[in-house]
């Protein structure tokens, strides 16, 4: 509560991409509203099963992420819980040891999430989806890494409408104009997601 809060840019971009692929998307930002069972019920109201929950986390929030996954699985046992973000990207096997986590997205998530949505809703397997790790029987399967998103200019605009009801709770915002970094600083984890490849939006698109 002592830090300024901004909309979750990465999650918003993922949501915008899924919307552009005609997927149903709702976003909960626990930096603003603590997630409860009642709030979860409101979110899934009107959605078709199986429910798909995505949780993004860094190392500092992974304990709460496991807690949320457990709440979701107890309440909706047939749902699918996907975790992504830098901590699951760095340590997918550790994350999948949590009973309530079904799938981990490794690296950039746009194409993997869209493919997972299709597979889960149609009852198909995940063996052909790049950039994920998942549980199969008692084993963890780690598929090959997916490609980096080919052209950032093809991503849809940020979905501000998904945050409209809580927009007055944010203190500042950011504009995402690039991804990646060409350097290999030992203290930075960015290269786990995009290697040392740097990509940027056209200036006209940023404006």
């Amino acid at each position: 509560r002592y830090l300024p809060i901004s909309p979750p840019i990465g999650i918003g971009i993922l949501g915008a991409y899924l919307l552009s692929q005609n997927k149903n998307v709702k976003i909960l930002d626990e930096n603003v509203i603590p997630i409860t069972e009642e709030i979860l019920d409101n979110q899934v109201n009107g959605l078709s099963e199986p429910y798909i929950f995505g949780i993004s986390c860094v190392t500092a929030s992974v304990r709460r992420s496991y807690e949320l996954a457990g709440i979701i699985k107890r309440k909706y046992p047939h749902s699918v819980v996907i975790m992504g973000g830098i901590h699951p990207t760095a340590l997918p096997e550790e994350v999948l040891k949590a009973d309530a986590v079904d799938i981990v997205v490794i690296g950039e998530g746009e194409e993997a999430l869209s493919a997972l949505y299709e597979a889960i809703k149609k009852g198909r397997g995940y063996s052909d989806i790049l950039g994920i790790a998942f549980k199969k029987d008692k084993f963890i399967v780690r598929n090959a890494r997916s490609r980096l998103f080919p052209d950032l200019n093809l991503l849809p605009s940020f979905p501000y409408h998904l945050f409209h009801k809580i927009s007055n709770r944010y203190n500042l915002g950011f504009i995402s104009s690039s991804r990646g970094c060409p350097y290999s600083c030992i203290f930075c984890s960015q290269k786990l997601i995009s290697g040392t490849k740097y990509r940027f939006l056209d200036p006209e698109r940023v404006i």
Side-chain angles (χ1 to χ4, degrees):
R1 60 178 177 169
Y2 300 108
L3 296 174
I5 300 174
S6 62
I9 299 297
I11 294 172
I13 293 172
L14 289 174
Y17 184 77
L18 292 174
L19 287 172
S20 74
Q21 303 293 307
N22 298 315
K23 310 291 192 296
N24 225 331
V25 176
K26 296 183 179 182
I27 293 177
L28 288 173
D29 183 1
E30 200 175 41
N31 285 318
V32 176
I33 301 174
I35 295 173
T36 64
E37 292 191 18
E38 182 181 2
I39 286 175
L40 290 173
D41 275 339
N42 290 335
Q43 289 293 305
V44 303
N45 185 34
L47 299 180
S48 62
E49 296 192 58
Y51 302 138
I52 303 170
F53 292 90
I55 302 173
S56 179
C57 73
V58 295
T59 301
S61 64
V62 71
R63 183 174 179 180
R64 173 60 175 163
S65 298
Y66 294 149
E67 187 178 280
L68 284 172
I71 292 170
I72 289 166
K73 275 294 189 179
R74 286 193 297 273
K75 191 164 183 60
Y76 316 105
H78 301 297
S79 65
V80 178
V81 175
I82 304 169
M83 281 185 64
I86 188 60
H87 188 92
T89 291
L91 298 167
E93 287 82 7
E94 175 205 282
V95 173
L96 285 169
K97 288 179 182 178
D99 292 337
V101 180
D102 300 301
I103 306 169
V104 163
V105 172
I106 301 169
E108 294 185 346
E110 285 86 2
E111 294 180 324
L113 276 178
S114 182
L116 278 171
Y117 188 106
E118 294 280 350
I120 292 166
K121 290 296 186 181
K122 294 179 180 178
R124 298 200 312 258
Y126 318 134
S127 59
D128 61 338
I129 299 176
L130 300 179
I132 66 168
F134 59 96
K135 298 171 184 173
K136 186 174 183 180
D137 300 323
K138 295 183 179 180
F139 300 97
I140 292 175
V141 179
R142 184 168 178 168
N143 291 354
R145 284 291 295 256
S146 61
R147 62 175 184 170
L148 296 177
F149 197 82
D151 183 356
L152 298 185
N153 292 290
L154 299 177
L155 289 171
S157 299
F158 191 82
Y160 290 101
H161 65 282
L162 293 180
F163 301 91
H164 177 70
K165 291 182 179 180
I166 55 173
S167 61
N168 65 327
R169 300 290 298 277
Y170 293 116
N171 309 107
L172 73 159
F174 295 94
I175 295 173
S176 177
S177 61
S178 65
R179 287 185 185 181
C181 176
Y183 303 109
S184 296
C185 302
I186 61 172
F187 55 80
C188 180
S189 56
Q190 171 59 38
K191 58 182 173 289
L192 291 174
I193 294 179
S194 54
T196 55
K197 187 173 179 61
Y198 175 69
R199 294 158 293 155
F200 53 90
L201 291 165
D202 293 339
E204 294 79 9
R205 181 68 189 278
V206 176
I207 292 169

